[in-house]
Amino acid sequence: MTYSLKLDINTFNNSMILLTILLSFFNNIGLFLFLIFIIIFGLQNSIQAIKSICLVTIRSALNPELAPSMSNFEYLKWIVLFSCAGILIKEYFNIRERKKINNILFPVILYLIYSSISSFISSTLPIVALMKIFSYGFVFIGILIGVYITINEFDWIGWIHKLLLPIIIISLVLYGLGLGFHPTNLSLFRGAINHPNILGTTTVLFIALNITILQLKKNKNHFIYHLLIIISLIIIWWSKARTSFIAAIVMLLVYLILLNKDLLRKALLIDIILVISVCIFLFVPDILNVFYDFLAKGTGNILESVTASRGNQIGDLLDNFYSSPILGTGFAVPMLPHRSYTISTQYIVEPGNLFFAVLSYGGIMGFVLFSYYILNIIWSNRRNFKELIFLPLATILVSMGEMIFFSTNNMGPFLYMFLAVYAFYGKRTETTEFET
């Protein structure tokens, strides 16, 4: 009887989530109902809390031509994120064996404490910097704890794959219909997501999930996952998201190196790919023009395109670092002529690269502490490195050009999920296959 009741509750929850998500596509009233239900849903238990964070994140990233923008409900979205993260953090005190989780949490908390102190000392917007540190750290820590306590009972890799799969399918359909292009630059495709670069980022994360599933050998139908990887590469090409395309190629090269095949087969596969690539460049002369247009994002000038999108951003970050190389100039805030203790959400920065941003935010000390906690996460599950490295690798690579790592209001929670699943996957003992 207890099992039957649990099944009914789960069925009700899943039905209500599907219904409210569909309603959120129609108007602001439907979107409001979705956010209210997702709060109620997320407060039930740890699995639901993590699902709520991921659902509200992906919903807020949807193309406003497909569904109403969440811009009118930003504060309600933050309530979802913070309340669900709070539920997860509270569960820390119910953990009996804390050594493994503490080994991951303490370096992260150390970086957050340092960032808070350095920002308060050196930033011209210390209160805003502290607010951003809190929003990033609170959700990240909540996800780490939540994944740690649920990794044995829930297949997060398979669930996130199912969550992102509709984005890929809808984007493919939109392109076929001639829809989903950026309103101010029709050469850039944004598909089901609100911006071409974020579409690229989302697609890279999806590729990482497909490769991970293939490496783990949790599904016998390998063809479908390879097909999804090819489709994802095509979508990234349409978006002209350069960093995402490079990230995808790097991951595929690493996949070839770590592929669970014997050395002879692996060498043969690499040789075939190289021969095909050379033949394309030799016998399709226009291919160079196609690549040039991709790198220039349809503007006709690569140098101007790169400088406009990333060069100035990185230059500003380096200027900030040189002005305060030890402590940095504050976490994710601009430099003002005079110090201000204002409380505001209007100070938005767009750093173009994760590592330059970390140097700018916290100086050399901040960079060392950040590098330590990232490497600590990767080292913590070295036993499954060959199968799972694509999760943290995708997280870092997408942040080399579209720096969303610290942006809880963007796709940041998915990056935190990837790091958490990588860190704690070793506890998993089930042999259930992944399902698409």
Side-chain angles (χ1 to χ4, degrees):
M1 182 61 70
T2 303
Y3 178 77
S4 177
L5 179 62
K6 182 179 180 181
L7 183 62
D8 290 341
I9 291 174
N10 287 336
T11 302
F12 172 78
N13 282 334
N14 292 334
S15 300
M16 286 299 296
I17 284 177
L18 181 59
L19 175 62
T20 54
I21 287 176
L22 291 175
L23 287 175
S24 77
F25 277 68
F26 289 98
N27 51 44
N28 283 331
I29 295 175
L31 179 55
F32 176 77
L33 292 175
F34 163 73
L35 290 169
I36 293 298
F37 179 76
I38 211 73
I39 293 173
I40 299 171
F41 175 75
L43 296 178
Q44 294 180 23
N45 57 53
S46 298
I47 291 177
Q48 317 290 51
I50 297 174
K51 284 184 176 181
S52 292
I53 291 173
C54 292
L55 285 169
V56 79
T57 297
I58 201 68
R59 175 58 185 83
S60 65
L62 290 182
N63 187 335
E65 294 178 349
L66 294 178
S69 171
M70 204 174 285
S71 58
N72 294 327
F73 299 100
E74 281 296 320
Y75 290 105
L76 200 53
K77 175 187 173 181
W78 282 113
I79 291 174
V80 175
L81 294 173
F82 288 150
S83 60
C84 291
I87 289 293
L88 297 171
I89 290 173
K90 183 174 68 69
E91 290 299 316
Y92 174 82
F93 301 100
N94 296 326
I95 299 173
R96 292 182 180 180
E97 178 53 54
R98 299 176 181 172
K99 183 178 179 180
K100 186 173 180 63
I101 183 70
N102 286 344
N103 288 340
I104 300 298
L105 282 180
F106 285 171
V108 175
I109 293 173
L110 181 62
Y111 174 71
L112 294 172
I113 292 173
Y114 168 80
S115 296
S116 300
I117 295 173
S118 65
S119 293
F120 193 78
I121 292 173
S122 62
S123 175
T124 55
L125 288 164
I127 304 301
V128 177
L130 290 175
M131 290 168 57
K132 292 191 175 187
I133 292 169
F134 174 79
S135 67
Y136 151 65
F138 194 72
V139 176
F140 187 19
I141 290 173
I143 288 176
L144 286 172
I145 294 170
V147 171
Y148 177 77
I149 62 180
T150 60
I151 196 73
N152 277 341
E153 55 184 300
F154 196 81
D155 171 19
W156 287 115
I157 294 176
W159 186 81
I160 299 174
H161 187 274
K162 291 177 184 178
L163 185 62
L164 297 185
L165 180 60
I167 301 296
I168 303 302
I169 295 174
I170 293 172
S171 297
L172 197 62
V173 172
L174 288 174
Y175 189 86
L177 296 173
L179 303 173
F181 288 86
H182 196 276
T184 60
N185 189 340
L186 295 179
S187 69
L188 305 180
F189 180 66
R190 61 178 179 174
I193 300 297
N194 56 21
H195 193 278
N197 288 346
I198 302 302
L199 174 64
T201 295
T202 306
T203 310
V204 169
L205 298 180
F206 185 69
I207 290 174
L209 289 171
N210 283 281
I211 296 176
T212 301
I213 293 171
L214 288 168
Q215 284 291 84
L216 288 170
K217 296 183 177 180
K218 289 293 186 178
N219 193 295
K220 297 177 182 178
N221 190 2
H222 290 181
F223 171 78
I224 185 66
Y225 294 101
H226 284 113
L227 177 62
L228 288 172
I229 290 172
I230 294 171
I231 292 172
S232 299
L233 279 171
I234 294 171
I235 290 175
I236 294 174
W237 184 267
W238 290 337
S239 73
K240 290 185 169 61
R242 292 173 300 222
T243 301
S244 296
F245 188 76
I246 294 171
I249 296 300
V250 170
M251 281 200 303
L252 290 174
L253 290 175
V254 174
Y255 174 47
L256 285 175
I257 295 171
L258 300 180
L259 191 62
N260 290 319
K261 301 288 184 183
D262 61 68
L263 187 60
L264 182 60
R265 289 184 180 180
K266 194 181 299 184
L268 180 61
L269 180 60
I270 294 174
D271 287 342
I272 291 173
I273 293 173
L274 287 174
V275 170
I276 292 174
S277 300
V278 171
C279 289
I280 290 174
F281 276 97
L282 287 177
F283 298 107
V284 186
D286 290 339
I287 194 69
L288 290 177
N289 293 330
V290 172
F291 271 98
Y292 187 93
D293 183 66
F294 173 82
L295 293 174
K297 292 197 172 187
T299 64
N301 191 306
I302 293 179
L303 184 60
E304 288 183 4
S305 176
V306 172
T307 302
S309 62
R310 292 292 176 265
N312 293 334
Q313 294 173 350
I314 293 176
D316 291 340
L317 292 174
L318 286 175
D319 289 340
N320 291 347
F321 169 68
Y322 293 141
S323 67
S324 181
I326 304 300
L327 295 179
T329 56
F331 189 89
V333 290
M335 287 185 65
L336 300 182
H338 304 287
R339 190 174 177 86
S340 172
Y341 291 93
T342 184
I343 298 175
S344 174
T345 59
Q346 302 303 312
Y347 292 99
I348 299 172
V349 294
E350 295 184 1
N353 180 279
L354 175 61
F355 293 121
F356 286 119
V358 171
L359 278 170
S360 172
Y361 294 172
I364 295 173
M365 283 296 298
F367 183 82
V368 170
L369 292 174
F370 177 81
S371 300
Y372 171 63
Y373 97 61
I374 291 294
L375 292 174
N376 178 64
I377 288 175
I378 294 174
W379 181 254
S380 69
N381 204 0
R382 56 195 179 277
R383 183 179 63 180
N384 294 308
F385 177 90
K386 187 176 179 180
E387 293 78 19
L388 300 174
I389 185 55
F390 305 96
L391 300 179
L393 182 62
T395 296
I396 294 170
L397 288 175
V398 297
S399 297
M400 291 298 98
E402 193 64 30
M403 218 295 284
I404 59 173
F405 190 92
F406 299 116
S407 182
T408 307
N409 197 37
N410 202 308
M411 293 293 288
F414 278 93
L415 305 190
Y416 313 152
M417 284 295 298
F418 274 40
L419 292 176
V421 170
Y422 173 87
F424 304 125
Y425 186 88
K427 293 177 57 182
R428 192 179 179 88
T429 57
E430 294 94 333
T431 56
T432 307
E433 289 191 347
F434 291 104
E435 298 177 357
T436 300

